[in-house]
Amino acid sequence: MLIPGGFRFGELREEALSGTLGRSGSLEVRLARGPREIWRAQRLRYRVFYQEMSAKPGVVSRMFRRDADRFDKACDHLLVIDHAARGRFGGIRPRVVGTYRLMRQDAAARLGGFYTQSEFDVAPMIARHGGLRFLELGRSCVLAPYRTKKTVELLWHGIWAYIRHHRIDAMFGCASFDGTDPARLALPLSFLHHHARAEGAWSCAAQGARGIGMDLLPAETLDAKLALKQMPPLIKGYLRLGARFGAGAVVDRQFGTTDVLVILPVAAIDRRYVDYYGEEGQRYAA
C-alpha cells in the first residue's frame, strides 16, 4: 500500500495485533490483553501523573490509585513490559513500565468524540480530510528508571506497527508542558507558534475560551537552542518526527500542565525515522 509521501506499508496481517510487537533485551512492547493489563497501565499513569507530577486526583482515582476515564474502554493500550523486573519480595515479576493510549476514529465516533476535543477543536481538521483515517495518541508515560532512548523507541516501534496494521493516515493528541503559568513557558510556546505551527488544511485551534495565545515573544527574539532545551522530551521527539502544532495552548489545572496539540500526518514523518525503524518495523522485531 503506497501512501502520500512515498511510504509503502506491507500487506496487513489477518490476525489481530495480539502478539509481541517488538523486543529489546528484557523489554517487550505489545497491546494490553484484557482488563487486568489495562488496570496495570492505569496504575502506572497514576504513579507518574499524580504521585510524581502535579496532577490532582479525584476521590475515586485516589481510592483506587488509578488514572482512568470513560475513554479507556474504547481505546487500545500500548505497553512496554520489563520481563526481568523484580517484585517487592524478590523473584521475577514482569512489570508495565511504559504506556500509550491509542484511540481510532471509528471508536471515537461510537463514544461521541475524542478526548482531545475537550481542549482542541479537531472536528474541522478531520472534516477537511474526509478520506483519511485518524488516530488519537494520549496518556503517554514511562516509569522514571526506564526513561531511556530504548523504552521510547519501543513505544514508537509499537505505534508504527499499529498504524501500519490499521492503515492510519494521521495522528494527533495533546502533549504537555509541566506548569500552569504560560508566561514561564513563553520561549518554547513561542517557538512552536512561529516555527512549527500547522497551517492550511492541517490548522487547528484550541476550544474557544479555553485557548491561550502561544505567540508570547516576537519571532526575531527567539533563541531556538534554548527553546528546544526547555521542551519536554516527548515534544522534542514529535518535532523530530515532523509534527506540527495547533494554534493556542490550554491550561489543564487538574493535571498541572499547559497542553499543546500535536498533529502528525503519516506522510510527514521524517524519512530518517522510517528508515531507522524499517518500513516493516524490523528494528525491534520479535
Side-chain angles (χ1 to χ4, degrees):
M1 174 187 177
L2 188 66
I3 62 173
F7 299 158
R8 184 175 295 278
F9 285 178
E11 292 298 315
L12 299 179
R13 294 171 296 178
E14 291 298 323
E15 71 273 17
L17 292 172
S18 58
T20 295
L21 301 180
R23 284 187 179 273
S24 180
S26 66
L27 300 182
E28 174 193 17
V29 62
R30 61 173 172 80
L31 295 178
R33 299 167 182 165
R36 180 164 179 79
E37 290 196 339
I38 295 174
W39 176 85
R40 292 170 69 189
Q42 293 167 336
R43 288 293 297 267
L44 172 63
R45 284 159 31 185
Y46 185 92
R47 177 168 180 173
V48 173
F49 298 149
Y50 294 97
Q51 294 183 318
E52 179 183 338
M53 300 173 70
S54 54
K56 301 171 184 175
V59 174
V60 176
S61 293
R62 186 182 297 110
M63 181 182 302
F64 293 100
R65 301 173 72 81
R66 292 190 301 148
D67 170 61
D69 63 23
R70 69 185 184 90
F71 295 93
D72 280 326
K73 290 184 179 179
C75 296
D76 287 316
H77 299 262
L78 190 66
L79 311 177
V80 172
I81 301 169
D82 182 3
H83 289 280
R86 295 195 172 273
R88 286 184 296 173
F89 306 106
I92 301 298
R93 185 180 181 185
R95 184 180 196 183
V96 173
V97 300
T99 186
Y100 241 113
R101 189 168 77 175
L102 313 176
M103 188 175 194
R104 299 197 307 278
Q105 190 171 357
D106 53 352
R110 291 193 297 270
L111 199 62
F114 291 99
Y115 171 85
T116 303
Q117 287 177 272
S118 65
E119 296 190 352
F120 296 92
D121 187 13
V122 300
M125 176 188 70
I126 292 172
R128 290 193 294 266
H129 300 278
L132 302 188
R133 295 182 177 92
F134 283 81
L135 175 70
E136 180 187 68
L137 304 178
R139 287 300 202 270
S140 169
C141 64
V142 176
L143 197 63
Y146 293 87
R147 286 175 198 156
T148 63
K149 180 181 178 183
K150 181 167 69 172
T151 308
V152 172
E153 286 189 351
L154 275 172
L155 282 169
W156 273 101
H157 179 89
I159 291 171
W160 182 242
Y162 191 90
I163 66 175
R164 287 179 56 249
H165 182 86
H166 290 291
R167 300 178 184 265
I168 299 299
D169 299 295
M171 296 168 276
F172 69 90
C174 295
S176 301
F177 289 89
D178 195 24
T180 58
D181 182 0
R184 301 186 66 176
L185 302 168
L187 179 56
L189 289 177
S190 298
F191 179 90
L192 294 179
H193 174 84
H194 292 298
H195 299 292
R197 187 169 75 255
E199 297 179 336
W202 294 103
S203 62
C204 189
Q207 288 281 15
R210 296 204 67 182
I212 57 172
M214 293 169 61
D215 54 338
L216 303 174
L217 299 172
E220 60 272 14
T221 68
L222 299 183
D223 181 334
K225 187 174 181 180
L226 183 58
L228 290 169
K229 187 176 181 180
Q230 293 181 6
M231 288 184 192
L234 181 62
I235 292 179
K236 283 192 286 190
Y238 282 131
L239 277 169
R240 293 189 189 103
L241 282 169
R244 289 295 178 262
F245 294 79
V250 173
V251 173
D252 186 334
R253 300 202 178 275
Q254 181 193 356
F255 278 83
T257 59
T258 299
D259 299 340
V260 294
L261 177 66
V262 182
I263 303 164
L264 181 57
V266 172
I269 295 176
D270 191 303
R271 183 74 216 188
R272 292 174 300 169
Y273 291 93
V274 178
D275 293 339
Y276 181 75
Y277 286 105
E279 300 248 6
E280 304 301 322
Q282 302 97 317
R283 186 169 189 85
Y284 290 105

